[in-house]
Amino acid sequence: MAVGASAVAVSHGDAAVKHSWVSVPEGWVDVGAPPADYTIDLKIGLKQGGFEDLISVLHEISDPFHTKYGQHLSKREVEEFAAPHESTHAAVNGWLLANGVDISSVHYSQAKDWLALSVPVSTVEYMLSASYRTYQHGSTGEQVVRTLSYSLPRELHAHIDLVHPTTMFDRMKAMRATYMLDAALPATGTIEGSTVKGPAGQDIPLSCNTTVTPACLQALYRTAGYTPQAADKGNKIGVAGWSKYGRGLLPCPYYVNFADLQSFFTQFRPDAVGTNVTVVSVDGGLNDQSLPGVEADLDVQYTEGLTYPTPNYYYSTPGTAPTINDSVTPPQRDEPYLDWLSYILTLPDDELPQAFTTSYGGDEQTFPYEWAVRVCGMFAQLSARGSSVMFSSGDGGVGAGTCQTNDGTNRTIFQPVFPATCPYITGVGATYQIAPEKGVYFSQGGFSRYFERPVWQAAAVPPFLAKLGSTYAGLYYPAGRAVPDVSAQGYGFQVVVAGEVESVGGTSASSPTFASIVALLNDYRIANGRPSLGWLNPLLYTIGVSGFTDILLGNNPGCGTPGFNATEGWDAITGLGTPDFVKLKELFGSI
């Protein structure tokens, strides 16, 4: 629709709650009202007119048995599906006008499905029947201005998916279990000789059993000897990173350090010395070279180390910053997935990476349901354009901490991590050792309570549930989307940080590793005139199963339980298993 279409008056009365919390989310404390002149940068997600049709098309182009497989959509086509109906714009414009908002001050996304405006907090409170307060997190010192409840006129519930910032308390965290060398998990058993045999009979240095380098991963997952051919044909890999602010309002160092990258290449990938990652600032994201970050260094050193000379892009997006700004403090940034996705979806088709990895997330229950569903839909839009999106599955086993519900009942339940639970994302769990490879204790897995089990998991997941029987009944939702989908090594990664080698562990290591394998598969396909793989999950759970090494050992304790066990077939600690590049290249190379 034309944004300037005539507005329809919407009554402020007859409001109904859109979302609310029964109490202040765990870890946050009310520290008072925001200043009277505080301005909120409001984002409103409008109902997308053709979203269901987009999902239908996405399933067709991602089904390896469908005639439309691989026919990814263009940016323009995705935006046409996302565009709201004219009636939605008319209703929302009427509501804004009724609340004294100058329509000319509203900014729209390219698909016109998001609108943004700066509004005084008093106006927002009236519009949303809300009461905004300043909340501070006890362990980090982060401050956010939020409300515990907001409402919309009933008529607008059919036109607005969510309003932000409202009830979203951002606690996005990097998925990193530890990065201390002396915390490395010990290898079990005694192994003779200087090499061990991998699952395909390949020789792998014995040191890889506890100390992981690019060469170890190349040998284990059989990418050794493959030379990327499509670096000049558009193949790319992207890493999403966020800078956060902690206690004392100091930035947590999640920045890529170029000197560390060159030192890493010198030690572990000499032929790549002189190559660099391209850092892209999203909405003012920084990359301070005086603040090298373990997470950022890990991500780019291993994506570069495994995919060289494939172009690598690191997207630096601000995380949550202090609420009250001053001359030395950056402006507040709200939940960054929205900022990052909004930016990525504007990229021209020839600039969009075909594989992404992200090592961040949080307990699914801490995200408002409507918010999680809308953001998951944005990942679907990205997938429809031919990008494969990988996320770490989490580092809490079946759940860290008390594992209590936040709905006021304080029941104990297992805690899967979002966004990994989004069906349009490939969740990556973690393994360790190579003789044999095992699921590592922190590898988070389980079942979503927000998203139902997709059809492509219909064959893989029920056998696992059958083996589980009544064990943990009531602690998880067996009909939910199951995670992780796959796994990769996640412990003992040698990373250069501030010039020194540290040993890093977590699904933070697994996701960039698996994403790098996907980037190499895309390289092979693109070099041979085929499209990128795009949304992976329907492919992985069908013809892809035989391209994975099934992991049969390990469990992921949490919530006062031993957690789930690795077992034959899909399991909720290692998914389908770990990749065999040679087999996957044969399976995926010609479809």
Side-chain angles (χ1 to χ4, degrees), residues 144-212:
V144 295
V145 173
R146 295 291 188 270
T147 177
L148 297 183
S149 175
Y150 78 102
S151 301
L152 292 169
R154 292 183 186 277
E155 179 183 341
L156 290 183
H157 282 242
H159 298 290
I160 294 177
D161 284 335
L162 77 152
V163 180
H164 180 80
T166 50
T167 56
M168 173 64 193
F169 284 72
D170 173 27
R171 282 299 300 132
M172 184 188 66
K173 57 187 177 183
M175 300 304 186
R176 186 176 63 249
T178 179
Y179 53 89
M180 299 303 295
L181 184 59
D182 59 5
L185 291 170
T188 55
T190 301
I191 303 174
E192 300 291 337
S194 59
T195 62
V196 293
K197 292 294 183 183
Q202 71 272 38
D203 287 328
I204 305 173
L206 176 60
S207 61
C208 298
N209 214 36
T210 54
T211 304
V212 176

Side-chain angles (χ1 to χ4, degrees), residues 120-270:
V121 65
S122 57
T123 300
V124 177
E125 288 181 325
Y126 180 75
M127 291 170 60
L128 303 178
S129 301
S131 176
Y132 277 82
R133 306 286 293 178
T134 301
Y135 296 90
Q136 181 166 309
H137 196 268
S139 64
T140 67
E142 297 171 43
Q143 289 187 349
V144 295
V145 173
R146 295 291 188 270
T147 177
L148 297 183
S149 175
Y150 78 102
S151 301
L152 292 169
R154 292 183 186 277
E155 179 183 341
L156 290 183
H157 282 242
H159 298 290
I160 294 177
D161 284 335
L162 77 152
V163 180
H164 180 80
T166 50
T167 56
M168 173 64 193
F169 284 72
D170 173 27
R171 282 299 300 132
M172 184 188 66
K173 57 187 177 183
M175 300 304 186
R176 186 176 63 249
T178 179
Y179 53 89
M180 299 303 295
L181 184 59
D182 59 5
L185 291 170
T188 55
T190 301
I191 303 174
E192 300 291 337
S194 59
T195 62
V196 293
K197 292 294 183 183
Q202 71 272 38
D203 287 328
I204 305 173
L206 176 60
S207 61
C208 298
N209 214 36
T210 54
T211 304
V212 176
T213 66
C216 292
L217 298 172
Q218 288 174 319
L220 178 59
Y221 299 138
R222 298 216 287 168
T223 67
Y226 179 79
T227 301
Q229 310 161 63
D232 60 349
K233 296 181 180 179
N235 191 39
K236 296 176 285 292
I237 183 170
V239 177
W242 283 275
S243 55
K244 301 277 287 178
Y245 281 73
R247 184 172 296 282
L249 309 185
L250 295 175
C252 299
Y254 290 167
Y255 300 131
V256 173
N257 186 271
F258 301 137
D260 285 343
L261 181 60
Q262 295 308 312
S263 178
F264 178 84
F265 285 154
T266 298
Q267 296 182 64
F268 302 114
R269 188 71 200 258

Side-chain angles (χ1 to χ4, degrees), residues 3 42-48 82-84 89 106-117 160-165 337-339 341-342 345 370-371 374-375 377-378 381:
V3 174
L42 207 62
K43 295 180 181 178
I44 301 177
L46 306 183
K47 189 75 67 176
Q48 297 171 323
H89 280 294
V106 176
H107 299 280
Y108 290 83
S109 64
Q110 292 183 6
K112 305 297 189 293
D113 58 334
W114 284 94
L115 58 84
L117 61 158
I160 294 177
D161 284 335
L162 77 152
V163 180
H164 180 80
Y337 293 140
L338 290 180
D339 294 339
L341 281 164
S342 296
L345 289 172
E370 294 84 0
W371 187 96
R374 181 57 186 259
V375 168
M378 295 176 76
Q381 291 174 249

Side-chain angles (χ1 to χ4, degrees), residues 280-370:
V280 180
S281 173
V282 177
D283 203 18
L286 305 177
N287 192 49
D288 190 335
Q289 291 301 288
S290 69
L291 293 169
V294 175
E295 182 62 51
D297 277 351
L298 164 64
D299 287 338
V300 301
Q301 287 173 19
Y302 277 84
T303 55
E304 288 261 22
L306 292 171
T307 68
Y308 169 79
T310 303
N312 277 232
Y313 291 80
Y314 182 87
Y315 298 91
S316 176
T317 306
T320 301
T323 296
I324 310 303
N325 309 320
D326 60 24
S327 61
V328 297
T329 302
Q332 173 170 315
R333 301 294 184 183
D334 293 315
E335 200 293 315
Y337 293 140
L338 290 180
D339 294 339
W340 182 76
L341 281 164
S342 296
Y343 171 82
I344 289 296
L345 289 172
T346 67
L347 290 180
D349 293 325
D350 60 354
E351 294 182 16
L352 188 68
Q354 295 87 348
F356 287 97
T357 176
T358 311
S359 297
Y360 297 79
D363 288 348
E364 185 183 69
Q365 69 168 0
T366 65
F367 296 85
Y369 172 78
E370 294 84 0

Side-chain angles (χ1 to χ4, degrees), residues 94-112:
W95 172 61
L96 294 175
L97 287 169
N99 285 278
V101 174
D102 179 4
I103 297 297
S104 67
S105 69
V106 176
H107 299 280
Y108 290 83
S109 64
Q110 292 183 6
K112 305 297 189 293

